[in-house]
Amino acid sequence: MCLAVPGRVVGIEDRDGTRMARVDFGGVVKEVCLAYVPDVEVGEYVIVHVGFALQRLDEESARASLELFEQLGLLEEEFGDAWARAEAEGAATDIPGQHEQEGVR
């Protein structure tokens, strides 16, 4: 499932002519493109979908949405633990005896 998730802008920089932000989604910080909302400033909240900030959002609405998403488990589903997910995916693709064949012990 892909959600549009509210997050707080914690940093902004210009990258090759494109305004980019670091956005905090309740503890998970991601890089986000600000092309659609170029006048957003640090400290403001935005709605983000697939790496693009789509619109500005007031703090009260953003916090209420984040709280509801967390209660429903949607933040974990959307962001999850990247390291745990990578480990699980790697284990699922391991071939028994593969490391021995490669000379890894």
Side-chain angles (χ1 to χ4, degrees):
M1 175 189 300
C2 263
L3 299 173
V5 181
R8 183 173 179 267
V9 176
V10 295
I12 296 176
E13 67 179 61
D14 184 71
R15 192 175 306 147
D16 298 323
T18 301
R19 232 174 140 203
M20 299 293 291
R22 287 183 320 283
V23 178
D24 182 352
F25 301 95
V28 175
V29 178
K30 300 277 188 178
E31 293 290 317
V32 172
C33 179
L34 297 178
Y36 298 129
V37 286
D39 57 339
V40 166
E41 298 297 330
V42 171
E44 293 184 304
Y45 286 80
V46 291
I47 297 281
V48 178
H49 180 65
V50 294
F52 288 86
L54 301 177
Q55 71 181 45
R56 186 179 281 109
L57 184 66
D58 65 275
E59 182 175 358
E60 183 179 338
S61 296
R63 289 185 183 275
S65 294
L66 283 170
E67 184 178 313
L68 181 60
F69 286 0
E70 188 172 347
Q71 289 173 3
L72 296 172
L74 296 175
L75 288 180
E76 180 67 28
E77 182 180 317
E78 187 70 12
F79 297 117
D81 179 344
W83 294 110
R85 189 170 52 249
E87 183 178 1
E89 289 171 1
T93 60
D94 276 350
I95 301 169
Q98 175 183 13
H99 299 295
E100 289 79 8
Q101 292 173 0
E102 296 171 352
V104 177
R105 307 230 182 260

